[in-house]
Amino acid sequence: MGTIAWAGRKIGGALVVLWLVATAIFIAIRLIPGDPAEAIMGGPGSQASAEALAAARAEYALDQPVFTQYLLYLGKLVTLDFGTSYSLKEPVTKVMGEVLPNTLWLSLLALALAWLLALCFAAAASNSGRFGSWLGSLLEIIAAAVPHFWLGAVLIMLFSSALGWFPAVDNGSAQGLVLPVLTLALPLAGFLTQLMRDSLSEALGSQFALAARARGESRLTLFWRHGLRHAALPALNLTGWAFSSLLSGAVVVEAIFARPGLGRSLLSAVLARDIPMVTGIALFSALVYIVVMALAEGLERIINPAGEQR
Amino acid sequence: MSRSAKIFSAIVILLWLVMALAPGLLAPGDPLAINPAQAFQKPGLAHFFGTDESGRDIYTRVIHGAGDSLAIGLAATALGMGLAIVLGTVAALSPRWLDEVILRVLEALYAIPSLLMALLIIAFTGPGVGPAIVAVGLSTAPGYARLVRSQIRSLKNSEMLEATTVLGHSSWLKVRNHLIPNALKPLMALVTLGIGQAVIWAAALSFLGLGTAPPAPEWGAMLSAGRVYLHLAWWMSLFPGLAIVAVAVSATVIGRALGGKVKSL
Amino acid sequence: MQRTSRTSRILAGSFALPLIGALLAGCSSTGTSDSTAQSKAPVTGGTMVYASGDAEPTCLDPHVGGNYPQALVASQYLESLFTKNDKGEIIPWLAESTEVSEDGLTRTITLRDGIKFTDGTKLTAEAIKANVEHLKDPNTASSTGYLAVGKVVRVEAKDELTAVLKLSAPDNALLESLSMPWTAIESPKALERDQSTNCASPVGTGPFKVKSWEHQKAVNLVRNDDYVLPVADTKRTGNTAYLDGITWRFIPEAATRYAALQSGEVDVIDNAQPDTISTAADSGLGHLDAPRPGSSNRIELNSSKAPFDDQRVREAFIRAVDANTGVSSLLFGTAQRSNSLLSSVEPLAYSEESLFTTDTAKANTLLDEAGWSERDEQGFRVKDGKRLSLRFPVSTNQSVPAEQSLFEQFQAQAKAVGFEVKIDLLDLSSWYGALAEHEYNLVSAPYTKVGPSVLRVLYHSDSTVPAPSGYFANNAQVKNEKLDKLLVEAEETNDDAQRASLYEQAQKIVLEGYYVLPLYDQQNHFLYGKNVHGIGATTAVSSPIYFDTFLDQ
């Protein structure tokens, strides 16, 4: 398939997916008990008068039939208008724009670090003995199994309270990123390493690899030139997933390290029933996921051009 | 699979089963019994894992918590996997348009961050064990389903299948004898990781204050309660944390062992 | 394990207003504050970093909504007409004097001359009018401030500095109501801006002003260089705050907040956890204990539905649990057990310890008498095939972890006499939802207000009628005509002795009816670093003011 046709299909598919996500969020939010007008007029426990609530309903078109609301909602989304946050009374795009870079940096750095760790681990494991390999796989399983919030708390205890090497909370400096990035990256690295090692050992055990060894290539060269390519594919496949899981992780990590970001916005928006904020963040993260998936697939086409295309 | 891994797996499964089904055998105490005068006791002979802020014995609670925590992990993974096998198989074997539709739906589910999905479900149902299971199950299903689908599709055209067709097997037999077992193999690694991940997930929901109701000794809830006292009573969060890690580790080891079995089918 | 606390309550000064006179000397009575602070000469300069454990407010104007986190930050840039002195008496602040007419329906307030808002607008009677109207405007969506000025029908500007408030009924709590940050006075010019702008940069007369608000990151406050201290203070050198500014951050995780304080990344934290307070002195940290006025922290028993529609069952629950042991072990001595409906900072608080002593034998007898004499196989009592089961929705926003643990202890203790207590940990929206739907038998919902008139908000039968949102304040569902009459009379009398007596009778009715299990004052603990001095002054609602605060350079 040609690259242009491939890109066209990707974009078409992406639009369908975004529409599905928008619809799913619309339905899900209407199922949640509680009056959105209350969320607008001061949130839980508000003592807004009946008139004020009615006015809010009219202003946000909540008094229209559900299908009309849905069409209005889609119409606005098409023009990239996510509406006004119920609780902050500011445009959702503006609020998201303010905190987005923080989360993006955090996630990208965590993803990069996770990949780096995973590659090193996989390389080390393929070149080590039985015990080393056993220890490595134990470590990676443990890393994948540690809950973010616990890891974050422990890292703060160790590196901030006890040793004083890194700040516990965001202070705008690069140092403030160290602990949160580590907290996000370690479990993900454990996960990626496990996936890579399985395919790596298969690749290095293959006829092809044995032949190359027989030709006199060193194990390390073999790893970098042949093994890695095979090992990286399944992990690359999961990078879209990994990136979107980082946003879930960011909800917890941003809360622990008091970092501004989309995760924190998301949590407070869900708790405040701030429908426009929730919708905006959900759609945005869906978009990011789709883009990352497409990039990963593109990269896969480059690494493995002979591979079977879907 | 090595012999030692087999033995390890068997022992671990047995241990988890005993903890889940008959926790009284390992810890005869009452996991809910409070004793404020004995709060924050360090681990020792009287209390192997120490006591918590209400003087409850953490060892007893960890053992008795196995049932709840494992049930959440297993149920959520079973739910996710069940959905995935149905959706993935249908997608892989159906005409192209239906495959496309299912794929887009899966992608949409996948594109919503799992924690957001969990938060929405809990906002709808209220917190608790049930919603946590549904939330974790639903958010993991698309991932499993995509894998099932791609596995089955790649196997559908493989040499092995052609060979069986030549031999004249019916198509149901093809699915049962070759497609499912071969699709399952890579899934096992993911599933076993999934059980551990589901336990961690439930813990994350507890961290956000949306997990199981107190005073249930669910590990995630214990871990979350313990983090408040991290610098005063490290044992409160260490032991439930180790329990979670132990489940994830043994689930993975067992999964790999099972994976080997599926391959040999 | 260090369990004994060396911290002690700031005497009087914690809830009074040591701005007047007390200053450095008045703020040093925390058991943990270093003694050098008193002798240290104040230094001007430096930006203090404050870390709040509360959720970030959605609006910095405390007129909108009106909760405690808003009060904490707004106390730095907004001021009220009245405040409390160190004896707990209400005194004029932005106001210079006040008088009330014979019939109690006209309240005249004379303002101090020469006070300016930070946008340059002068404080005049028109400003008072604009503020009351802002509070009463439904579009403001004020709840706390709206209720506080509920009896004010309109405000007339008699002359530039004289405002006349017309009331619908006599209100002897009005000055207390006007001492709270939720009714603080903002620039009338600024109030004309749209709400989102005013929320992001409210304009007041306080020692600091809002420079910027970076959502989720910080509210940046800078010194108000034109500040005029309304009440002159002889001990004070200079009229403006010592700090150049305050960076007001939000760090929700208790452990992170404490770690950041220990490492010096932040200078002051609020919502300090009991166990960290108890060891703060060893780490050289200062401690400010400023219990909030209004209600005590207590559990309310919903008397409108079974099984708590029977007073015997209510008493049985209260006798079954052991609050004293739990309070002392979980709160590490940072809070005293309360036996009152009101905060210990309220002079009219009435206590009755004997009503709340633990007595499981009596609890069992009462339940037998009430017809809950059989038990099912799990040990819970049953009557007519129904289990003696109680729903207890707990807000994870309002109840700190130690309090949640206390409730778990109650759950275990109540089980021993045959109660099944189901604790549901809920987010704030779901929690309010559960209350509005009456899906509760027990609930803990503290209420902050200056003065005993909070009793009317909480226990008058009118407060069982829900607002359109479903909210009602009388969670115990006390409906008692005699009590209603007492509460209304107590608020309308102009005789102090009679007021005290009426409020005492009212408190007795609620306490003796076993509608409420008092626990302790609403906790309000602050920890600060070694480098921070001059902390202790607070507003009438116990929110600290950092006017006197300075940092080591």
Side-chain angles (χ1 to χ4, degrees):
Chain A
M1 203 193 314
T3 301
I4 293 172
W6 175 80
R9 267 195 55 189
K10 279 283 132 194
I11 291 170
L15 289 177
V16 174
V17 169
L18 283 177
W19 168 69
L20 284 169
V21 170
T23 307
I25 297 281
F26 182 85
I27 295 171
I29 280 173
R30 256 122 204 111
L31 287 175
I32 294 173
D35 182 354
E38 261 175 56
I40 299 166
M41 296 307 291
S46 83
Q47 287 162 37
S49 66
E51 298 80 47
L53 291 176
R57 270 183 217 112
E59 191 187 336
Y60 287 81
L62 295 166
D63 51 355
Q64 305 283 320
V66 173
F67 193 68
T68 316
Q69 286 186 45
Y70 176 64
L71 290 182
L72 282 171
Y73 162 82
L74 284 188
K76 281 191 166 180
L77 289 187
V78 169
T79 58
L80 288 182
D81 176 2
F82 294 128
T84 304
S85 158
Y86 287 174
S87 48
L88 293 170
K89 310 281 188 289
E90 287 191 44
V92 169
T93 37
K94 179 175 172 252
V95 180
M96 278 171 57
E98 280 171 10
V99 296
L100 176 65
N102 296 300
T103 306
L104 227 46
W105 266 116
L106 181 68
S107 309
L108 283 175
L109 285 173
L111 193 62
L113 181 65
W115 262 100
L116 190 70
L117 286 174
L119 284 175
C120 294
F121 246 90
S126 76
N127 291 304
S128 59
R130 236 183 113 111
F131 176 76
S133 163
W134 177 84
L135 187 71
S137 65
L138 187 69
L139 280 179
E140 76 210 20
I141 293 171
I142 290 176
V146 175
H148 285 133
F149 66 85
W150 192 51
L151 181 60
V154 170
L155 289 179
I156 287 179
M157 278 280 290
L158 275 179
F159 294 107
S160 187
S161 290
L163 298 171
W165 289 356
F166 301 107
V169 294
D170 170 55
N171 56 4
S173 75
Q175 279 190 330
L177 269 167
V178 174
L179 296 183
V181 166
L182 263 181
T183 306
L184 266 183
L186 280 179
L188 188 59
F191 210 84
L192 288 175
T193 317
Q194 287 183 40
L195 282 165
M196 283 172 68
R197 259 155 66 96
D198 281 354
S199 20
L200 193 64
S201 59
E202 256 172 49
L204 291 179
S206 67
Q207 295 287 329
F208 169 74
L210 291 177
R213 287 274 284 174
R215 281 200 307 273
E217 285 189 33
S218 81
R219 220 179 138 76
L220 204 60
T221 326
L222 192 66
F223 169 80
W224 285 113
R225 288 183 51 187
H226 308 291
L228 196 59
R229 191 186 260 184
H230 290 271
L233 276 180
L236 201 56
N237 237 325
L238 271 168
T239 295
W241 164 84
F243 202 76
S244 100
S245 87
L246 284 177
L247 184 69
S248 296
V251 173
V252 172
V253 168
E254 287 172 356
I256 293 177
F257 293 96
R259 294 183 57 80
L262 273 191
R264 234 171 138 189
S265 300
L266 176 62
L267 184 60
S268 58
V270 172
L271 294 182
R273 312 287 187 261
D274 188 342
I275 297 172
M277 262 325 270
V278 173
T279 314
I281 297 174
L283 281 174
F284 177 78
S285 53
L287 184 68
V288 169
Y289 163 79
I290 290 166
V291 170
V292 173
M293 278 307 277
L295 285 178
E297 214 171 297
L299 205 58
E300 205 179 315
R301 282 166 74 95
I302 296 165
I303 294 183
N304 192 21
E308 188 206 8
Q309 306 292 339
R310 275 195 278 169
Chain B
M1 177 188 181
S2 72
R3 198 183 150 79
S4 59
K6 267 183 194 153
I7 295 170
F8 171 82
S9 307
I11 292 175
V12 165
I13 290 178
L14 194 70
L15 198 63
W16 291 129
L17 277 179
V18 171
M19 281 170 72
L21 301 175
L25 287 180
L26 296 170
D30 178 357
L32 306 183
I34 61 159
N35 185 357
Q38 291 287 308
F40 301 115
Q41 295 292 309
K42 285 201 174 86
L45 280 180
H47 303 282
F48 299 143
F49 294 174
T51 63
D52 68 8
E53 80 281 10
S54 291
R56 293 176 295 210
D57 184 68
I58 293 176
Y59 168 74
T60 311
R61 283 175 71 72
V62 167
I63 299 287
H64 284 256
D68 270 4
S69 303
L70 288 179
I72 291 175
L74 283 172
T77 311
L79 179 71
M81 188 49 74
L83 270 173
I85 289 179
V86 172
L87 284 174
T89 314
V90 169
L93 300 178
S94 44
R96 198 185 168 100
W97 68 268
L98 187 57
D99 179 32
E100 283 290 321
V101 170
I102 295 176
L103 261 185
R104 292 290 94 79
V105 170
L106 286 178
E107 219 165 310
L109 280 175
Y110 215 35
I112 301 175
S114 359
L115 196 66
L116 171 61
M117 203 178 317
L119 288 174
L120 289 176
I121 291 172
I122 286 167
F124 171 49
T125 60
V129 178
I133 290 172
V134 174
V136 177
L138 270 188
S139 54
T140 49
Y144 296 147
R146 282 162 40 107
L147 207 66
V148 172
R149 176 190 163 277
S150 70
Q151 285 293 322
I152 292 188
R153 270 174 63 99
S154 68
L155 286 167
K156 205 164 75 170
N157 307 319
S158 71
E159 293 161 15
M160 175 182 64
L161 203 64
E162 275 159 28
T164 58
T165 313
V166 172
L167 290 173
H169 285 304
S170 75
S171 57
W172 162 238
L173 276 179
K174 274 194 293 195
V175 172
R176 197 194 67 185
N177 289 348
H178 301 284
L179 287 187
I180 290 185
N182 281 290
L184 275 180
K185 182 203 148 195
L187 268 181
M188 286 326 287
L190 214 56
V191 163
T192 48
L193 288 171
I195 293 175
Q197 289 293 316
V199 172
I200 296 169
W201 263 88
L205 291 176
S206 294
F207 164 82
L208 297 169
L210 302 168
T212 46
E218 195 262 322
W219 295 336
M222 292 172 67
L223 191 50
S224 159
R227 80 181 197 278
V228 178
Y229 300 103
L230 203 56
H231 57 272
L232 174 80
W234 47 267
W235 52 92
M236 275 180 69
S237 51
L238 177 71
F239 293 105
L242 284 182
I244 292 177
V245 172
V247 163
V249 170
S250 53
T252 310
V253 173
I254 293 165
R256 293 205 169 151
L258 280 176
K261 258 187 199 161
V262 172
K263 195 180 184 180
S264 63
L265 270 174
Chain C
M1 182 175 40
Q2 167 74 291
R3 292 272 297 276
T4 48
S5 165
R6 292 211 271 125
T7 59
S8 66
R9 174 92 37 94
I10 288 193
L11 300 167
S14 65
F15 54 88
L17 196 98
L19 267 180
I20 312 145
L23 299 170
L24 297 177
C27 64
S28 60
S29 44
T30 36
T32 51
S33 73
D34 48 321
S35 52
T36 54
Q38 290 159 55
S39 51
K40 238 183 181 114
V43 199
T44 299
T47 297
M48 182 176 90
V49 183
Y50 180 95
S52 173
D54 294 310
E56 183 175 22
T58 54
C59 178
L60 299 181
D61 170 7
H63 287 189
V64 178
N67 58 25
Y68 205 77
Q70 285 175 309
L72 281 172
V73 65
S75 300
Q76 315 314 322
Y77 48 80
L78 300 185
E79 293 180 303
S80 300
L81 288 170
F82 298 89
T83 191
K84 266 188 194 170
N85 67 9
D86 51 8
K87 297 188 193 76
E89 300 158 345
I90 295 291
I91 55 159
W93 188 249
L94 290 179
E96 187 166 52
S97 64
T98 180
E99 60 185 35
V100 67
S101 67
E102 195 69 23
D103 61 3
L105 295 176
T106 306
R107 163 71 66 180
T108 308
I109 295 173
T110 311
L111 299 169
R112 286 182 206 281
D113 200 1
I115 290 180
K116 277 191 178 146
F117 295 100
T118 48
D119 63 357
T121 317
K122 188 168 188 274
L123 174 70
T124 61
E126 285 297 336
I128 309 305
K129 185 171 191 278
N131 273 272
V132 172
E133 280 166 5
H134 185 241
L135 284 168
K136 293 181 89 81
D137 181 354
N139 288 323
T140 305
S142 169
S143 3
T144 316
Y146 173 82
L147 278 183
V149 298
K151 284 185 185 168
V152 180
V153 182
R154 64 175 193 279
V155 181
E156 290 162 7
K158 199 170 136 201
D159 59 43
E160 198 194 12
L161 293 175
T162 313
V164 179
L165 280 63
K166 297 285 185 190
L167 307 182
S168 58
D171 184 3
N172 60 29
L174 184 63
L175 302 189
E176 292 168 328
S177 296
L178 293 176
S179 71
M180 305 191 294
W182 302 296
T183 56
I185 304 301
E186 298 177 44
S187 158
K189 201 172 107 196
L191 286 179
E192 281 167 17
R193 302 173 298 172
D194 67 74
Q195 182 156 325
S196 68
T197 312
N198 199 58
C199 277
S201 58
V203 176
T205 59
F208 295 92
K209 54 187 178 183
V210 181
K211 184 182 153 215
S212 62
W213 180 15
E214 302 163 271
H215 287 298
Q216 295 182 13
K217 207 165 181 185
V219 180
N220 298 303
L221 307 175
V222 291
R223 178 173 47 230
N224 171 10
D225 285 321
D226 303 317
Y227 182 62
V228 175
L229 191 60
V231 179
D233 172 15
T234 48
K235 288 186 194 147
R236 179 72 201 219
T237 52
N239 234 344
T240 54
Y242 298 124
L243 295 169
D244 289 342
I246 305 175
T247 305
W248 199 279
R249 303 196 51 176
F250 300 93
I251 304 184
E253 264 299 285
T256 315
R257 200 160 61 246
Y258 187 63
L261 178 68
Q262 282 182 315
S263 64
E265 292 165 62
V266 304
D267 301 307
V268 182
I269 64 169
D270 63 21
N271 287 281
Q273 296 296 306
D275 56 314
T276 59
I277 298 169
S278 72
T279 53
D282 305 333
S283 331
L285 299 172
H287 171 219
L288 170 66
D289 176 8
R292 301 181 194 177
S295 81
S296 56
N297 243 20
R298 73 257 181 269
I299 295 179
E300 290 155 291
L301 287 68
N302 181 353
S303 64
S304 72
K305 61 187 230 176
F308 280 158
D309 52 353
D310 185 334
Q311 181 175 329
R312 290 171 297 189
V313 183
R314 294 202 295 270
E315 185 179 351
F317 177 81
I318 285 170
R319 299 287 185 190
V321 301
D322 176 10
N324 285 342
T325 311
V327 168
S328 66
S329 76
L330 288 167
L331 298 182
F332 294 85
T334 58
Q336 294 294 311
R337 171 73 200 278
S338 164
N339 294 293
S340 171
L341 300 174
L342 293 177
S343 160
S344 65
V345 309
E346 296 293 349
L348 296 186
Y350 170 79
S351 282
E352 185 54 75
E353 195 182 343
S354 65
L355 292 170
F356 304 106
T357 45
T358 307
D359 186 344
T360 41
K362 188 164 186 197
N364 279 316
T365 315
L366 283 164
L367 287 175
D368 287 341
E369 281 170 20
W372 296 94
S373 46
E374 285 167 48
R375 295 214 185 205
D376 63 16
E377 67 279 1
Q378 281 170 271
F380 297 117
R381 289 178 184 263
V382 283
K383 180 160 103 177
D384 306 330
K386 274 196 75 182
R387 184 181 276 185
L388 183 55
S389 183
L390 304 172
R391 294 193 65 170
F392 191 175
V394 173
S395 157
T396 47
N397 286 58
Q398 310 216 348
S399 293
V400 297
E403 190 163 283
Q404 294 171 26
S405 302
L406 181 66
F407 297 160
E408 279 186 49
Q409 296 191 358
F410 289 171
Q411 181 181 44
Q413 289 153 349
K415 190 182 173 190
V417 304
F419 280 103
E420 178 189 42
V421 180
K422 290 180 182 162
I423 295 178
D424 286 321
L425 297 179
L426 299 175
D427 68 79
L428 202 57
S429 299
S430 310
W431 183 75
Y432 274 116
L435 298 193
E437 298 293 322
H438 266 269
E439 287 169 353
Y440 71 97
N441 302 100
L442 297 159
V443 70
S444 167
Y447 199 102
T448 304
K449 189 179 196 297
V450 176
S453 61
V454 69
L455 293 168
R456 178 168 180 183
V457 177
L458 295 175
Y459 303 110
H460 192 284
S461 63
D462 284 354
S463 297
T464 61
V465 182
S469 69
Y471 173 82
F472 50 86
N474 188 342
N475 292 312
Q477 296 283 306
V478 186
K479 288 176 203 156
N480 182 322
E481 273 181 40
K482 192 179 163 210
L483 176 64
D484 286 357
K485 225 172 132 250
L486 286 169
L487 291 171
V488 173
E489 266 180 60
E491 209 169 280
E492 295 187 353
T493 179
N494 51 15
D495 176 342
D496 282 351
Q498 196 194 6
R499 187 186 191 219
S501 145
L502 290 167
Y503 274 129
E504 182 171 320
Q505 293 173 53
Q507 291 178 74
K508 270 189 177 161
I509 290 178
V510 180
L511 290 175
E512 286 165 6
Y514 293 100
Y515 293 101
V516 165
L517 171 61
L519 298 175
Y520 34 75
D521 286 341
Q522 291 183 62
Q523 299 299 296
N524 204 24
H525 293 274
F526 303 81
L527 292 178
Y528 50 93
K530 277 179 229 175
N531 57 327
V532 187
H533 311 280
I535 284 190
T538 70
T539 67
V541 298
S542 303
S543 54
I545 304 170
Y546 302 105
F547 175 63
D548 298 325
T549 305
F550 61 94
L551 305 171
D552 286 339
Q553 297 293 309

